[in-house]
Amino acid sequence: VSGIVAEGDPGGGNPKSTLFNFKSGRVFDPNGNNVFSYQRNTPINLKGTFSSTTYDYFIDDNLISSVGTKDNYLIDKIFLETENC
């Protein structure tokens, strides 16, 4: 299973986004850090809070980052793309 979870405006007027990549059983945060591993067919819970220039996020109710930074832009959409699900 692989895919991305992102917020921003995919393909719209605002090309900026903050991405979480899921690849080969690993989760990569928006800074490209490998922050979590998962097994096939095992659900995980990703949740977070985004403000104008910062974010925090949790995986399976464990705080992973409380100091993420991002450019200041309007969040227009949250989207998910997956493969091999």
Side-chain angles (χ1 to χ4, degrees), residues 16-35:
K16 295 182 179 185
S17 64
T18 302
L19 302 174
F20 288 87
N21 286 298
F22 295 74
K23 187 172 186 176
S24 301
R26 297 182 292 167
V27 178
F28 296 90
D29 73 5
N31 294 319
N33 299 313
N34 179 10
V35 295

Side-chain angles (χ1 to χ4, degrees), residues 12 16 19 22 25 38 40 51 60 74 76 85:
K16 295 182 179 185
L19 302 174
F22 295 74
Y38 60 92
R40 185 177 183 94
S51 68
D60 289 341
L74 178 65
D76 185 43
C85 289

Side-chain angles (χ1 to χ4, degrees), residues 1-76:
V1 177
S2 63
I4 62 169
V5 176
E7 53 83 8
D9 187 359
N14 181 0
K16 295 182 179 185
S17 64
T18 302
L19 302 174
F20 288 87
N21 286 298
F22 295 74
K23 187 172 186 176
S24 301
R26 297 182 292 167
V27 178
F28 296 90
D29 73 5
N31 294 319
N33 299 313
N34 179 10
V35 295
F36 193 78
S37 296
Y38 60 92
Q39 298 294 318
R40 185 177 183 94
N41 298 321
T42 302
I44 66 168
N45 179 12
L46 172 65
K47 64 182 176 181
T49 305
F50 292 85
S51 68
S52 58
T53 58
T54 62
Y55 63 90
D56 64 19
Y57 65 95
F58 297 76
I59 298 178
D60 289 341
D61 294 322
N62 295 304
L63 178 64
I64 304 298
S65 176
S66 63
V67 293
T69 60
K70 67 178 198 63
D71 291 340
N72 186 5
Y73 58 88
L74 178 65
I75 296 173
D76 185 43

